[in-house]
């Protein structure tokens, strides 16, 4: 039996004001079609616990209170063009996209937290990271270093990371962490659709992409799990003294193995999600064979991806690599209808 | 918009009320089945008692957590880091102290949550209609003890802390509060102990195992007073011994800045004597006939309750709790256990020879056989290369039919290749079984681990002793030494020595003090004593500040011997033992480590807090 929470008699609804402007239409006899939509959501009274500002010495298990305010703005669109050329060639090409970005207007903050760590003004679900600033290449560089790392390690070694001294006090500690302005959620996602038909041939293509997201990578590499190829290839070593990439470490046994911007990688990508080519046999053959339809096709899922992440799937929201990867699938087959 | 929503809400409410009014409206006033209201709790003796039961949860599993406090000292090393390395390397800071804030037994937030619960209890207990007033009195005594215990956990980790005796509400405008002086904190704890004794006096018979007793409160008082009298908490002494301490912003928060030390020692002595005079506790197994018996007794002392148990945390193997898994956390990787907290060579070297002389690597006979003729407690506390242990798990049994700890590298004859090869032991980081877990030091914990439990699959029921009578005797002896009463100190220390099968002390003065300190290290190893003792004695720089050490054991086949399956055997093998410095935890001592850092987040919430020196 314990105090599950301090009662909050003032608890109420969260309030959302939604504004939408939309425009749907078609031009040139429907050859050009489009959907445009812009939105703004202003939410207030979001239920938040004041854990950041109420000292733990109160011993209180805080209830949710209607204090949070978040704005969310964005737009969505789809524009396409379809046409028939002659009697045999038909095509339909369209692009679509959605952009959405939220901003915290009010949140519970620790009164003493440095400005660069506050969540107000930032998107939701962002994290604090040290800002990566290269790697100590050798002992000569460590000897030259004047920044105090004693809050992180008492034994700097070549291949250890450098962090930026954000508050400029000559000392790297938790006050030098910055609130990163990206979360694992992309701000823009979009796609390109192409459908072509020429005589009995058909062709479809779907390209998908996203921008504005970032992922913090933290694989359990070391004595218990393997390293990524990327880490292995670029690692600092006595033979390859890098100024950019760190030495190998065992899981989280170094101060830089997690929680800094070196590990935060952009998840921007463009991916050929689907590609399909088909051929349906002509009418006269169908009749001859006594069937309703026969279509032969080949398709491919996830044929290629262009991204900077390389290490993990840019569509993953999990930075430890422990997920079932998307596979590239090649199919060939036929549909037969009697 | 708000107005509109309110109207909608009200109208739905009215519509709802009308719809159901024809039937039965009672169900609108149901109480949640999983929760009780505050008013109900304080009108029902059983619920009030349940509220007190929960306050005990602040005790967690006592010292039986996966990361043990001993690994922040020279007793053990924690194999898997988990923020423990920062303790040994003195790199904890107000923004990064994982062990202090989330893994240890003195977490700030947890302690204050329970202190609040104690205050809520005192605010409401008068309302509860107990059938027998005795129950209410007993609960009061327990809660006084618990509040004292939680404050003592905070004070010995952080120094003086805010003394909160109000029950805050959501409407309070100001939650900031100053740290109280060290002296005020000690008095607060002592007062709560005295109140606990008042309410729990002579009630032992009616108190269920595991609940606070009069003896527990008196032992706690003895402990806080011996801490209070120590060097670290006498500011003139601390200042002279440490420049970091001398620079403390508010010394009175950490130590006495005035007053008479002799009086403090006398008060500590009296508090210990009061427990001894209860006549309720005594040293278990006081007079063994042989060293072997002393060793067996000592092992048994930490497997079940006995005459010296004052206050313990109990575990059931049917209940999943950290405390039942000490065997799994710390056992040998060659038994599919996790090898977490492993004894260091520094600890091993502190075990005396059985004749009471010091172990010395410079002595050829010691180096040749470091595990021979040691203090009988060594054999009950430590698993070393060649030490017998329980039956190996079935999948490993064929590799070690002798069931011996294997932390070395041994030569064996490989019949297929027709040559001698090196075979790493089963309990090493090169061995064939889960070697990523293996001990870095070459030793494993034995004390507190039930040899009859297969820890891979089952939990043990060994209690964790928060307070045992031996500690009270140590407190008494320590105060006596400081007061120059060496004869009295020796009398009680020698009871502990005799029980251990070790020769009596004959020293006096500084020599006796040094022996007392080592004796407490050995006798109370893994019991959350040393972390605080080395600090308050201010010997941390030369004890826990030492470089971490482990052992390399090599077994070489004697000429013309062919062994295909290794087993310890001095006829077949020549063994060499080489102590090594372990570099993967670069231990040092910095004086900031005398006190744990206050979290920066908490300081941001409460601008009255003053940080501890050195952070």
């Amino acid at each position: 039996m314990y105090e599950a929470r301090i009662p909050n008699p003032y608890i109420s609804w969260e309030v959302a004001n939604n504004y939408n402007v939309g425009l749907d239409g078609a031009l040139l006899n429907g050859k050009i079609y489009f959907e445009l939509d812009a939105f703004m959501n202003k939410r207030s009274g979001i239920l938040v616990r004041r854990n950041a500002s109420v000292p733990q010495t109160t011993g209180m298990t805080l209830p949710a209170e209607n204090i949070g305010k978040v704005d969310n703005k964005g737009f969505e669109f789809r524009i396409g063009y379809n046409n028939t050329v002659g009697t045999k060639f038909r095509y339909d090409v369209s692009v679509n996209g959605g952009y959405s970005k939220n901003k915290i207007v009010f949140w519970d903050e620790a009164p003493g937290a440095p400005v660069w760590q506050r969540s107000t003004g930032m998107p939701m679900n962002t994290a604090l990271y040290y800002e990566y600033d290269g790697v100590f290449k050798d002992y000569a560089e460590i000897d030259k270093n004047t920044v105090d790392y004693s809050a992180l390690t008492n034994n700097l070694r070549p291949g250890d990371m450098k962090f930026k001294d954000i508050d400029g006090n000559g000392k790297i500690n938790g006050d030098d962490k910055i609130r990163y302005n990206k979360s694992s959620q992309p701000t823009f996602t979009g796609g390109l659709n192409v459908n072509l038909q020429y005589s009995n041939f058909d062709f479809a293509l779907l390209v998908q992409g996203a921008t504005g997201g970032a992922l913090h990578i933290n694989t359990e590499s070391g004595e218990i799990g393997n390293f990524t190829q990327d880490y292995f290839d670029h690692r600092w070593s006595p033979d390859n003294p890098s100024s950019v990439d760190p030495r190998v470490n065992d899981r989280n046994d170094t101060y830089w193995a997690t929680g800094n911007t070196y590990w935060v990688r952009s998840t921007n990508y463009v991916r050929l999600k689907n590609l399909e080519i088909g051929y349906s046999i002509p009418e006269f053959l169908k009749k001859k064979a006594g069937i309703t339809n026969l279509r032969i096709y080949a398709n491919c899922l996830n044929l290629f991806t262009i991204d900077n992440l390389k290490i993990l799937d840019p569509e993953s929201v999990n930075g430890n690599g422990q997920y079932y990867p998307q596979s590239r699938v090649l199919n060939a087959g036929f549909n037969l209808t009697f | 918009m708000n107005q509109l929503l309110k109207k909608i809400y009200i109208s739905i409410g009215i519509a709802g009320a009308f719809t159901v009014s024809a039937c039965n409206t009672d169900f609108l006033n149901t109480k949640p089945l999983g929760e009780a209201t505050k008013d109900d709790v304080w009108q029902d003796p059983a619920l009030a008692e349940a509220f007190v039961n929960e306050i005990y949860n602040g005790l967690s599993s006592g010292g039986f957590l996966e990361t043990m406090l001993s690994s922040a000292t020279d007793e053990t090393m924690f194999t898997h880091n988990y923020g423990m390395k920062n303790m040994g390397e003195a790199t904890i800071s107000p923004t990064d102290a994982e062990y202090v804030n989330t893994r240890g037994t003195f977490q700030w937030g947890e302690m204050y949550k329970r202190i609040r619960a104690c205050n809520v209890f005192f605010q409401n207990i008068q309302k509860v209609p107990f059938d027998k007033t005795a129950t209410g009195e007993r609960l009061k005594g327990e809660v006084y003890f618990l509040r004292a215990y939680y404050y003592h956990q905070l004070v010995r980790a952080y120094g003086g802390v805010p003394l909160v005796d109000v029950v805050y509400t959501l409407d309070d405008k100001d939650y900031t509060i100053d740290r109280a002086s060290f002296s005020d904190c000690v008095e607060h704890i002592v007062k709560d102990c005295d109140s606990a004794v008042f309410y729990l006096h002579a009630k032992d018979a009616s108190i269920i195992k595991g609940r606070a007793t009069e003896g527990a409160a008196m032992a706690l008082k003895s402990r806080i007073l011996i801490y209070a009298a120590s060097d670290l908490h006498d500011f003139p002494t601390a200042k002279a011994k440490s420049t970091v301490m001398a620079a403390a912003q508010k010394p009175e928060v950490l130590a006495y800045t005035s007053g008479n030390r002799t009086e403090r020692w006398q008060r500590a002595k009296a508090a210990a004597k009061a427990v001894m005079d209860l006549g309720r506790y005594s040293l278990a197994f006081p007079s063994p006939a042989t060293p072997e018996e002393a060793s067996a007794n000592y092992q048994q002392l930490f497997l079940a309750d006995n005459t010296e148990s004052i206050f313990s945390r109990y575990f059931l193997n049917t209940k999943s709790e950290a405390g039942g898994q000490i065997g799994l956390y710390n056992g040998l990787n060659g038994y599919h256990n996790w090898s977490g907290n492993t004894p260091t060579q520094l600890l091993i070297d502190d075990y005396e020879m059985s004749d009471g002389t010091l172990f010395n690597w410079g002595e050829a006979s010691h180096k040749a056989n470091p595990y021979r003729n040691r203090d009988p407690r060594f054999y009950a506390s430590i698993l070393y290369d060649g030490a017998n242990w329980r039956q190996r798990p079935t999948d490993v049994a064929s590799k070690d039919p002798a069931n011996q700890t294997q932390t070395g590298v041994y030569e064996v004859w490989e019949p297929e290749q027709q040559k001698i090869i090196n075979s790493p032991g089963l309990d090493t980081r090169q061995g064939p079984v889960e070697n990523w877990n293996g001990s870095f030091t070459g030793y494993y914990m034995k004390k507190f681990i039930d040899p009859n439990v297969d820890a891979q699959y089952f939990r043990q029921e060994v209690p964790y002793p928060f307070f045992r009578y031996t500690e009270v005797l140590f407190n008494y002896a320590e105060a006596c030494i400081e007061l120059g009463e060496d004869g009295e100190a020796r009398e009680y220390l020698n009871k502990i020595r005799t029980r251990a099968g070790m020769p009596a002390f004959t020293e006096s003065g500084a020599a006796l003090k040094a022996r007392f300190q080592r004796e407490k290290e050995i006798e109370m190893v893994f019991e959350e004593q040393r972390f605080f003792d080395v600090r308050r004695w201010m010997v941390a720089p030369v004890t826990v500040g030492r470089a971490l050490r482990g052992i390399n054991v090599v077994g070489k086949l004697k000429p013309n011997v062919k062994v295909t399956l290794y087993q310890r055997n001095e006829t077949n093998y020549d063994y060499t033992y080489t102590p090594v410095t372990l570099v993967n935890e670069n231990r040092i001592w910095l004086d900031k480590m005398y006190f744990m850092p206050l979290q920066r987040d908490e300081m941001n919430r409460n601008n009255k807090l003053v940080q501890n020196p050195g952070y």
Side-chain angles (χ1 to χ4, degrees), chain B residues 306-502:
Chain B
N306 49 65
T307 58
E308 65 177 280
S309 310
I310 297 179
F311 183 60
S312 303
R313 174 76 161 83
Y314 300 91
F315 304 95
L316 292 172
N317 61 21
T318 46
K319 190 175 177 196
S320 175
E321 288 188 282
Q325 310 217 95
I326 281 305
L328 178 66
Y329 294 152
N330 299 305
L332 304 86
N333 59 315
Y335 285 79
H336 300 298
N337 298 153
W338 302 350
S339 318
N341 303 280
T342 57
T344 71
Q345 190 62 46
L346 304 168
L347 170 65
I348 307 304
D349 291 354
D350 281 347
Y351 281 91
E352 294 172 1
M353 304 305 290
S354 56
D355 62 3
T357 57
L358 293 179
F359 174 83
N360 179 5
W361 281 105
E363 200 132 336
S365 64
H366 291 187
K367 186 172 177 9
N369 272 301
Y371 310 134
R372 191 171 289 168
N373 298 328
R374 304 293 289 267
D375 183 325
R377 289 171 292 194
F378 170 75
Y379 304 99
S381 306
I382 310 288
L383 290 173
Y384 50 91
D385 185 60
N388 294 321
W389 190 231
R390 53 172 284 115
Q391 168 76 42
R392 289 267 178 194
T394 33
D395 60 322
V396 189
S398 65
K399 297 188 175 78
D400 174 29
N403 301 316
Q404 292 167 334
T405 309
Q406 294 186 4
T407 61
V409 175
Y410 321 106
E411 288 185 347
V412 289
W413 177 253
E414 169 54 61
E416 282 177 21
Q417 298 175 43
Q418 286 289 301
K419 65 171 190 182
I420 290 170
I421 61 161
N422 277 324
S423 169
L426 294 171
D427 310 305
T428 64
R429 296 187 66 84
Q430 294 76 36
V433 189
E434 288 143 41
N435 56 18
W436 58 86
N437 276 336
S439 167
F440 285 97
T441 63
Y443 298 100
Y444 289 89
M445 258 178 74
K446 182 176 180 186
K447 179 173 170 177
F448 287 125
I449 296 181
D450 189 338
N452 297 315
V453 171
D454 182 359
Q456 184 191 355
Y457 300 113
F458 302 102
R459 287 179 284 267
Q460 61 176 37
E461 297 194 335
V462 173
Y464 174 76
F466 290 104
F467 294 98
R468 65 180 176 105
Y469 189 55
T470 302
E471 181 188 344
V472 175
L473 296 187
F474 274 127
N475 292 347
Y476 183 72
E478 182 174 354
C480 287
I481 291 171
E482 296 295 340
L483 292 166
E485 301 164 18
D486 288 351
E488 183 81 350
R490 276 196 303 268
E491 184 187 336
Y492 287 93
L493 290 175
N494 285 339
K495 286 178 196 286
I496 297 167
R497 295 284 285 180
T498 304
R499 189 257 302 272
M502 290 294 286

Side-chain angles (χ1 to χ4, degrees), chain A residues 220-235:
Chain A
E220 282 195 54
S221 303
E223 294 195 47
I224 199 166
N226 292 331
F227 291 92
T228 64
Q229 185 74 40
D230 182 78
Y231 190 169
F232 177 81
D233 289 344
H234 297 106
R235 75 192 190 283

Side-chain angles (χ1 to χ4, degrees), chain B residues 115-374:
Chain B
I115 288 166
R116 176 190 170 86
C118 294
N119 293 335
V120 169
F121 170 88
F122 288 124
Q123 197 182 48
N124 292 287
I125 185 63
Q126 304 309 339
K127 303 176 199 160
V128 184
F130 287 108
D131 290 344
K132 283 184 266 176
T133 47
T135 310
E137 304 287 275
R138 170 175 63 77
L139 291 178
K140 274 187 214 169
E142 290 180 30
V143 176
Y144 274 117
F145 168 80
L146 288 167
R147 190 166 70 180
Y149 187 84
Y150 297 139
Y151 270 123
H152 125 282
Q153 284 291 69
L154 289 167
V155 167
R156 60 181 184 160
Y158 301 98
V161 294
L163 289 171
V164 178
D165 41 25
V166 297
V167 175
Y168 287 104
T169 70
L170 219 49
D171 294 327
D172 286 321
K173 292 286 171 264
D174 183 13
Y175 298 116
T176 61
I177 181 170
D178 280 307
R179 293 176 71 176
S181 72
F182 181 78
S183 149
D184 285 352
C185 290
V186 170
E187 294 314 316
H188 195 277
I189 293 165
V190 167
K191 198 168 151 239
D192 276 356
C193 287
D194 288 344
S195 301
V197 169
F198 174 80
Y199 287 112
L200 296 172
H201 178 62
K203 290 206 175 75
D204 274 19
S206 64
I207 291 175
I208 302 167
K209 201 167 93 163
R211 287 180 170 274
T213 58
E214 178 183 16
M218 291 171 74
L220 173 56
K221 179 176 170 181
S222 161
R223 182 189 286 174
I224 198 67
L225 287 175
I226 203 81
Y227 279 47
S230 305
D231 283 2
L232 181 64
H233 301 294
D234 180 62
F235 194 64
T237 311
K239 191 166 70 172
K241 288 191 175 181
S242 161
T243 51
V244 170
M245 282 296 292
Q249 284 182 60
K250 278 196 176 177
E252 69 275 17
V253 166
L254 307 173
Y256 290 93
T257 48
S258 60
N260 184 330
R261 281 196 85 184
T262 306
E263 280 172 15
R264 279 177 232 147
W265 287 118
Q266 275 162 348
R267 201 173 168 205
K269 182 185 165 192
K273 190 72 170 37
V275 184
M276 292 151 67
D277 288 346
L278 275 177
R280 209 168 292 158
Y281 310 104
S282 62
L283 281 187
F285 316 112
S287 36
T290 62
E292 290 72 28
E293 194 184 315
S295 193
N297 288 347
Y298 184 82
Q299 187 184 5
Q300 187 54 38
L301 200 56
F302 303 103
L303 294 177
D305 265 5
N306 49 65
T307 58
E308 65 177 280
S309 310
I310 297 179
F311 183 60
S312 303
R313 174 76 161 83
Y314 300 91
F315 304 95
L316 292 172
N317 61 21
T318 46
K319 190 175 177 196
S320 175
E321 288 188 282
Q325 310 217 95
I326 281 305
L328 178 66
Y329 294 152
N330 299 305
L332 304 86
N333 59 315
Y335 285 79
H336 300 298
N337 298 153
W338 302 350
S339 318
N341 303 280
T342 57
T344 71
Q345 190 62 46
L346 304 168
L347 170 65
I348 307 304
D349 291 354
D350 281 347
Y351 281 91
E352 294 172 1
M353 304 305 290
S354 56
D355 62 3
T357 57
L358 293 179
F359 174 83
N360 179 5
W361 281 105
E363 200 132 336
S365 64
H366 291 187
K367 186 172 177 9
N369 272 301
Y371 310 134
R372 191 171 289 168
N373 298 328
R374 304 293 289 267

Side-chain angles (χ1 to χ4, degrees), chain A residues 72-260:
Chain A
N72 190 15
K73 285 185 237 181
F75 60 84
E76 287 168 8
F77 69 89
R78 193 161 91 94
I79 300 171
Y81 186 79
N82 65 64
N83 199 4
T84 308
V85 181
T87 53
K88 289 188 170 168
F89 184 45
R90 288 200 298 140
Y91 63 95
D92 183 346
V93 179
S94 68
V95 289
N96 62 64
Y99 173 85
S100 155
K101 191 163 186 183
N102 61 53
K103 191 172 100 174
I104 292 172
V105 180
F106 183 84
W107 210 251
D108 181 47
E109 306 256 17
V115 180
W116 54 89
Q117 299 189 349
R118 306 234 164 153
S119 33
T120 305
M122 298 296 263
M124 291 181 68
N125 303 320
T126 54
L128 294 174
Y129 297 116
Y130 285 108
E131 200 169 348
Y132 157 81
D133 194 26
V135 159
F136 290 106
K137 192 176 178 182
D138 46 32
Y139 277 110
E141 208 181 337
I142 290 172
D143 291 342
K144 271 192 293 178
N145 165 55
T146 54
V147 180
D148 178 4
Y149 278 77
S150 66
L152 304 178
T153 177
N154 61 32
N155 186 23
L156 274 179
R157 290 168 53 184
D160 282 345
M161 276 187 206
K162 295 187 238 178
F163 295 150
K164 280 194 184 142
D165 181 19
I166 302 293
D167 61 2
N169 67 351
K171 203 171 167 178
I172 302 293
N173 61 27
D175 283 338
D176 297 308
K177 288 185 181 177
I178 51 159
R179 189 165 289 282
Y180 201 71
N181 63 2
K182 286 175 179 170
S183 72
S184 60
Q185 205 67 37
T187 50
F188 178 83
T189 51
L192 166 72
N193 264 296
V194 178
N195 285 294
L196 306 177
Q197 199 160 10
Y198 180 77
S199 181
N200 292 346
F201 290 93
D202 61 88
F203 170 86
L205 172 134
L206 170 62
V207 178
Q208 174 183 305
T211 62
L215 193 62
H216 178 268
I217 296 167
N218 184 22
T219 54
E220 282 195 54
S221 303
E223 294 195 47
I224 199 166
N226 292 331
F227 291 92
T228 64
Q229 185 74 40
D230 182 78
Y231 190 169
F232 177 81
D233 289 344
H234 297 106
R235 75 192 190 283
W236 180 99
S237 69
D239 304 330
N240 173 35
S242 169
S243 297
V244 179
D245 298 293
R247 60 189 169 88
V248 289
N249 75 321
D250 182 20
R251 279 198 276 177
N252 293 342
D253 79 343
T254 56
Y255 66 88
W256 44 261
T258 177
N260 61 69

Side-chain angles (χ1 to χ4, degrees), chain A residues 257-270:
Chain A
T258 177
N260 61 69
T261 54
Y262 174 85
W263 302 109
V264 181
R265 306 288 168 89
S266 161
T267 53
N268 294 355
Y269 73 95
V270 174

